[in-house]
Amino acid sequence: MSPQPPARRLRSDSASRPLQKGQQTKAAIVDAALGLATQIGLEGLSIGALAEVMQMSKSGVFAHFGSREELQISVVREYHARFEDEVFYPAMAFGRGLPRLRAMFDNWMKRTSVEIDSGCIYISGAVQFEDRPGPVRDALAGSVNTWLSAMRRAIEMAVAEGHLHPGTDAAQMAFEVHALILALHYEARFLGSPDSLQRALTAFDGIVGRFSTAATPVPEAPPPARSRKTTRVATQG
């Protein structure tokens, strides 16, 4: 089982005991940095800008991270942890197979509808760091690949449950679903298309229909009452 990312370990610790003052300050800085990054991108983050927002000295902010690069990576990890909390973990309450896959997409759409106004770090980060190898790009790519692996795993489970055709190419289906989200951001944020959300939902139904078996469609099952699992996205069964 893969270890949890640092952001999630910190949250797990805070559930059992109060954060120390230094941890509280660092968490507050990361939260402020995440807010800035959604608006101006990771590349726009600077120790000076954060110091001004936090009403701290530059040296005070620097002491918690050591470098601008470490700050950017901390923001990527926090963004990924929140993405998991809002998109992935709630979907685990649904049954294996198509109900869970649909829940993952529905949650993803809900988050995307908010990010149409605020911005998505995965997308802006890909533009800013696509040709800049290094730890920040690695953190971004790792987070996105973790999520796409979870999507492929959900598709594979839908095949195993008989909800999707046995010959379904999980990587191809995940690629097409991911493409919907990218198109939605472009249409909604750049072109301002008012019906982009509905078109994305319609497109998802079309993808599922194309890969589905000829059997009766799987109904939307209500989530069972059970506690949320706390393993990483890529390791969730």
Side-chain angles (χ1 to χ4, degrees):
M1 182 178 296
S2 299
Q4 296 176 342
R8 180 158 299 283
R9 285 202 299 269
L10 179 58
R11 291 182 176 194
S12 299
D13 292 343
S14 64
S16 59
R17 63 179 182 274
L19 292 176
Q20 296 179 356
K21 185 177 180 180
Q23 292 175 309
Q24 290 177 334
T25 302
K26 184 173 183 178
I29 294 172
V30 171
D31 185 66
L34 179 56
L36 283 176
T38 57
Q39 298 293 333
I40 63 177
L42 286 168
E43 184 58 22
L45 285 179
S46 69
I47 298 293
L50 268 179
E52 184 176 346
V53 170
M54 296 296 297
Q55 297 184 334
M56 296 173 60
S57 66
K58 291 183 181 180
S59 60
V61 174
F62 186 84
H64 287 281
F65 298 96
S67 68
R68 178 168 172 262
E69 184 177 82
E70 186 179 338
L71 169 65
Q72 291 171 323
I73 293 172
S74 295
V75 169
V76 172
R77 289 172 175 168
E78 178 63 18
Y79 181 84
H80 182 69
R82 295 187 186 189
F83 185 94
E84 287 182 330
D85 285 342
E86 295 178 23
V87 178
F88 179 73
Y89 291 111
M92 294 302 99
F94 287 78
R96 292 165 60 94
L98 197 51
R100 185 176 297 179
L101 179 62
R102 285 188 181 277
M104 290 170 70
F105 182 76
D106 288 346
N107 294 341
W108 199 2
M109 285 289 292
K110 289 176 184 176
R111 182 177 176 92
T112 300
S113 65
V114 173
E115 291 182 333
I116 286 173
D117 295 322
S118 64
C120 173
I121 286 180
Y122 287 160
I123 294 177
S124 63
V127 174
Q128 294 172 340
F129 290 89
E130 62 178 348
D131 58 351
R132 296 173 56 187
V136 179
R137 187 189 188 283
D138 292 344
L140 278 166
S143 294
V144 174
N145 280 326
T146 294
W147 169 239
L148 294 180
S149 293
M151 288 289 295
R152 289 191 292 270
R153 174 60 179 158
I155 292 168
E156 290 167 354
M157 286 193 292
V159 172
E161 294 292 325
H163 301 159
L164 298 177
H165 193 276
T168 296
D169 184 337
Q172 178 64 32
M173 187 173 181
F175 176 92
E176 293 182 23
V177 172
H178 189 206
L180 290 182
I181 298 297
L182 298 180
L184 173 58
H185 273 274
Y186 189 92
E187 291 269 344
R189 284 180 61 84
F190 182 62
L191 300 180
S193 303
D195 57 351
S196 53
L197 282 169
Q198 184 56 52
R199 289 191 181 280
L201 289 168
T202 300
F204 177 76
D205 288 339
I207 292 173
V208 171
R210 183 157 51 84
F211 286 99
S212 292
T213 60
T216 303
V218 179
E220 293 289 344
R226 70 181 189 184
S227 60
R228 187 186 73 184
K229 294 185 178 181
T230 55
T231 54
R232 286 194 67 186
V233 167
T235 61
Q236 182 70 51

